Amino acid sequence: MPPETPSHAADRLDDDDYPAYTMGRAAEMIGATPGFLRAIGEARLITPLRSEGGHRRYSRYQLRIAARARELVDAGTPIEAACRIVILEDQLEEALRLNEELRGRSR
């Protein structure tokens, strides 16, 4: 990646989709292990971006998704089921947001 100007770099850190966190830091932030992050990646819940060196990088949005999956797994839900639940919750939230946006336009 080319070096960024300080103001451009700061703007990216405010972006929910910017992959700012390494696997170790991401796992620490959600109270999980790197193995858990790999497992939900294998289940295709999240797909981390890769740095030029091939290291996984996670965004804040992905960390929120991972944290929700961790809550479900901690409550006894199998990881595959937890991932499916989180995907459905995320799809529902997006559909509700779009529905509200369309209602606002028709008023």
Side-chain angles (χ1 to χ4, degrees), residues 79-92:
I79 196 160
E80 297 82 13
C83 289
R84 185 68 183 138
I85 290 167
V86 172
I87 289 167
L88 291 170
E89 287 175 344
D90 196 49
Q91 289 173 342
L92 176 60

Side-chain angles (χ1 to χ4, degrees), residues 20-73:
Y21 304 99
T22 62
M23 176 181 273
R25 180 69 180 126
E28 180 183 303
M29 289 173 71
I30 66 167
T33 64
F36 176 80
L37 290 174
R38 280 191 291 278
I40 63 174
E42 289 170 10
R44 300 189 191 268
L45 177 61
I46 58 174
T47 304
L49 270 75
R50 296 282 182 152
S51 69
E52 288 181 16
H55 299 282
R56 292 173 178 90
R57 305 285 295 191
Y58 298 87
S59 68
R60 288 189 306 202
Y61 171 75
Q62 289 173 322
L63 293 184
R64 283 195 302 274
I65 296 291
R68 176 65 181 133
R70 183 176 174 268
E71 288 174 8
L72 292 167
V73 169

